[in-house]
Amino acid sequence: MNLLKGVNVYLIGMMGAGKTTVGKWLASELGYRFFDTDILIEQVAGKSVSEIFTRDGEESFRELESKVLQELSAYTNLIVATGGGIVLRQINWSYLHHGVVVWLNVPVEEICDRLREDNSRPLLREGDPKIILEGIFTQRQRFYAQADVQVFAGGDNPEIVGMRVIEELQKMVKVKEERKLKELQN
């Protein structure tokens, strides 16, 4: 399926939204390569995301995140699962706009359930996870809303969410092709 003609797809959304799982499925379906920015950051830094946050601070992590995203944006045929906070830095949007940005939108309550047993998330270490996640969502929602495509990703398995993403991408491509055709006719 050459739906996107090599254009990258960047998955954004809250931690626990399923970006990695859905991203792997999409890459397989579209014949793309899959990358997770957090995994690449860990490889570059030689330590876990948790260790980077603890030892070097969030700002150091965000710098690495931007560098990794910049490198990835130079390639094509990629599905990229990004960290939930990648949308916070304006420079990252210049890299994200090298492709199609898809927001996997999951209700905060469901994210809380998904992350209940996950101790690896640095931002959830202190305090009530639900309150923390609600605050994070409130801070980031306006950035997530800037995505080219928004897909509700709650309550369903990753394959169903992935199929929704493909449907939305198909609609987006169709609209763009219709606009080009109209411009040519005028």
Side-chain angles (χ1 to χ4, degrees):
M1 178 187 298
N2 196 7
L3 171 68
L4 298 170
K5 299 179 174 99
V7 172
N8 292 343
V9 175
Y10 296 97
L11 301 175
I12 65 170
M14 291 286 288
M15 63 182 92
K19 299 180 297 282
T20 298
T21 307
V22 171
K24 288 177 181 177
W25 186 88
L26 282 171
S28 174
E29 286 295 303
L30 296 174
Y32 272 36
R33 292 186 348 196
F34 173 77
F35 289 95
D36 181 311
T37 57
D38 285 349
I39 291 170
L40 291 173
I41 290 165
E42 290 178 343
Q43 291 171 351
V44 167
K47 48 189 157 187
S48 71
V49 169
S50 260
E51 288 176 294
I52 297 167
F53 266 78
T54 301
R55 294 182 186 168
D56 308 324
E58 184 176 356
E59 186 57 32
S60 180
F61 172 80
R62 298 291 173 210
E63 282 294 321
L64 285 170
E65 187 175 55
S66 292
K67 288 177 184 168
V68 164
L69 185 60
Q70 177 185 20
E71 291 290 324
L72 287 171
S73 71
Y75 295 92
T76 58
N77 297 297
L78 304 180
I79 302 291
V80 180
T82 66
I86 207 158
V87 297
L88 297 172
R89 292 180 130 202
Q90 188 61 39
I91 187 70
N92 291 343
W93 282 97
S94 67
Y95 307 132
L96 292 169
H97 286 307
H98 283 259
V100 178
V101 182
V102 177
W103 174 20
L104 297 184
N105 188 359
V106 178
V108 171
E109 284 78 22
E110 186 171 337
I111 289 174
C112 285
D113 289 342
R114 291 181 183 186
L115 299 178
R116 191 167 312 286
E117 303 299 317
D118 188 342
N119 298 320
S120 68
R121 310 288 177 154
L123 295 177
L124 297 182
R125 288 215 178 109
E126 295 179 25
D128 180 338
K130 186 171 190 279
I131 292 171
I132 293 168
L133 286 168
E134 286 172 347
I136 290 170
F137 182 75
T138 299
Q139 176 195 28
R140 297 178 182 173
Q141 182 179 14
R142 66 187 171 100
F143 296 109
Y144 293 147
Q146 295 175 35
D148 300 306
V149 174
Q150 179 181 167
V151 173
F152 179 75
D156 291 313
N157 72 44
E159 186 176 322
I160 291 172
V161 174
M163 288 189 288
R164 272 194 214 127
V165 170
I166 289 174
E167 287 173 18
E168 292 301 318
L169 293 172
Q170 288 170 328
K171 288 179 194 174
M172 188 187 77
V173 167
K174 184 178 179 186
V175 166
K176 285 186 176 186
E177 288 172 351
E178 287 171 357
R179 278 189 201 139
K180 283 184 184 177
L181 187 59
K182 283 182 182 179
E183 287 173 8
L184 290 173
Q185 291 173 343
N186 289 335

